[in-house]
Amino acid sequence: MNGSLMIGHVAGVPLRLHWSAPLLVLVLSIGLGGSVLPAWAPGHSASAYRLWAIAGALLLTASLIAHEGGHALVARRSRIAVKDVTVFALGGVTRMASPTTARSQGLVAAAGPAISLVLGGLCLGGSFLARDVLHWPLPGGVLAWGGWTNIVLAAFNLLPAAPLDGGRVLQALIWRVRGDRERAARASGRCGQVAGTVMAAGGLFRFLHGTGAGLWLGLIGLFVMAVASAEIRRAQLLESLRGLRVAEAMRPVITGQEWQSVDRFLAETARHAGDQPVIPVTDLDGRPTGYVTVPVLRAVPDARRPATRVRDVAVPLERCVLARPDEMLTDLLERAAMSRAGLVLVVDHHHVVGVVTGADLAGAGGRHSDPRGRPPPDARAGHGR
């Protein structure tokens, strides 16, 4: 997720903190210290309420990390590659490869709410000990709030609507019964669109009637709607590309040398590129090292172009996804989803033979579909659970 900073690891997976996460701590602290704790544990100073409110907000943030860590841990045990975990203002997200079976998807999805329920029970137990045995009202109030919040979090995430965990469980069940992962993804995505619309409308209604929490619910609803819609589009794309290889979607390209100056590259290479979206660049041995675009080259001031090498302004190979011409497009799409790279270079025997863009994928899927927009029967065959 853009705008995030890695702060450590959870379950052996990089943990990232989005810039909006401190906003979550701030909002929760204000609400907890301003109304909840004074009502549950009256008679303390404002500074004490603020201090314990911050502790409660950090406790919930840690709970979100544990929730996502549960997903990551079960995914790794199911041999699913996990890229990272990111905590942001609306919750958390674990970026991982797609599960290969319905069972593994269901287990991974259920792990997060299970962790939240366990934490909720532990916090409520700790609250009883703190308030009724040790007579510590403020810590007990914070733990009680954290316990009920975790339980509500688990219940909310179990709603049968993608991208919520309940939607993933629903998708796994449909996948198991129908044997078609993309069809299951579309069904859970549509449930997500409906649920997101209801949440957004309900949040707006509450906000207009003076309830500040309605704004938060509305934002979550919009987020659910957007992600659910994106997942439906992705499922449709995957279904349309089933059975196709990279060579059937790539566009041939001309390449240039990274060691050339920008002015020479523009004069000798770029003018032959036509409407090519990018120009792959190579080293002296013809091996790819990245790519450039004509607008980036032209942005170099005229006076600096003779002394500036193309490699100085090129996007490095590390920010590209490499594919083989005979690779299945669905496999490529899965790999690309795990990368922050913005372009696919098609390489055959260490030489670039083409590129694949989002437009190329959409075009290939459209050509492969029948007039009703469905993949031909032979593309459906052999799709296991």
Side-chain angles (χ1 to χ4, degrees):
M1 181 179 289
N2 293 333
S4 59
L5 176 69
M6 194 175 82
I7 60 173
H9 291 78
V10 55
V13 176
L15 172 64
R16 296 181 177 276
L17 191 69
H18 191 253
W19 64 265
S20 63
L23 179 63
L24 173 68
V25 176
L26 176 63
V27 171
L28 292 175
S29 299
I30 293 174
L32 184 57
S35 58
V36 177
L37 287 180
W40 288 8
H44 296 274
S45 66
S47 59
Y49 287 132
R50 284 195 294 267
L51 177 64
W52 283 103
I54 293 173
L58 293 176
L59 172 64
L60 183 58
T61 303
S63 299
L64 292 175
I65 294 174
H67 177 110
E68 296 301 327
H71 291 310
L73 182 61
V74 175
R76 293 187 60 177
R77 289 188 174 181
S78 300
R79 301 183 183 278
I80 300 171
V82 182
K83 186 71 173 180
D84 53 33
V85 170
T86 303
V87 175
F88 63 110
L90 298 181
V93 60
T94 300
R95 198 156 54 112
M96 66 181 72
S98 297
T100 55
T101 65
R103 181 177 183 274
S104 62
Q105 181 174 54
L107 289 175
V108 171
I115 292 292
S116 294
L117 286 174
V118 170
L119 291 175
L122 291 174
C123 286
L124 290 177
S127 172
F128 172 79
L129 178 65
R131 287 191 302 181
D132 299 335
V133 177
L134 300 176
H135 304 292
W136 295 343
L138 279 176
V142 168
L143 287 171
W145 176 82
W148 287 114
T149 303
N150 268 288
I151 291 173
V152 171
L153 176 66
F156 174 78
N157 271 282
L158 285 174
L159 291 175
L164 301 177
D165 297 328
R168 305 296 186 203
V169 174
L170 174 64
Q171 181 179 343
L173 292 174
I174 298 174
W175 181 7
R176 178 70 178 176
V177 173
R178 303 297 296 271
D180 191 317
R181 181 172 63 180
E182 279 68 52
R183 182 180 297 181
R186 293 201 310 272
S188 62
R190 292 190 186 100
C191 291
Q193 288 178 319
V194 173
T197 301
V198 172
M199 284 188 282
L204 178 61
F205 178 82
R206 293 185 62 186
F207 179 71
L208 293 177
H209 285 75
T211 305
L215 178 60
W216 206 258
L217 179 61
L219 290 175
I220 293 176
L222 292 175
F223 173 77
V224 170
M225 287 172 56
V227 176
S229 299
E231 292 196 0
I232 291 174
R233 292 193 297 270
R234 185 172 183 274
Q236 292 171 334
L237 179 60
L238 279 169
E239 191 171 28
S240 69
L241 295 177
R242 198 181 297 163
L244 291 179
R245 300 189 182 276
V246 171
E248 299 175 76
M250 74 177 189
R251 63 174 72 187
V253 291
I254 65 169
T255 62
Q257 291 76 39
E258 65 167 6
W259 45 266
Q260 284 186 327
S261 63
V262 170
D263 61 343
R264 182 181 173 186
F265 194 95
L266 285 170
E268 298 181 2
T269 303
R271 68 188 185 92
H272 297 297
D275 60 351
Q276 226 176 268
V278 300
I279 304 175
V281 293
T282 63
D283 58 18
L284 291 171
D285 296 323
R287 297 174 183 268
T289 60
Y291 69 89
V292 293
T293 62
V294 173
V296 168
L297 294 171
R298 288 177 175 165
V300 178
D302 293 344
R304 293 177 52 194
R305 290 179 182 178
T308 303
R309 301 296 176 186
V310 172
R311 60 173 167 262
D312 297 330
V313 296
V315 176
L317 195 65
E318 291 75 19
R319 291 173 56 186
C320 305
V321 174
L322 302 184
R324 303 184 313 276
D326 61 346
E327 184 177 357
M328 302 303 297
L329 276 173
T330 50
D331 294 338
L332 170 61
L333 203 58
E334 295 287 354
R335 288 198 299 111
M338 286 285 289
S339 171
R340 296 179 184 271
L343 184 76
V344 176
L345 296 181
V346 185
V347 180
D348 188 22
H349 294 93
H350 306 294
H351 289 81
V352 178
V353 295
V355 299
V356 178
T357 65
D360 297 327
L361 290 174
R367 293 191 301 270
H368 190 50
S369 299
D370 68 14
R372 292 171 296 175
R374 298 175 182 172
D378 60 342
R380 292 179 180 268
H383 185 65
R385 294 183 179 181

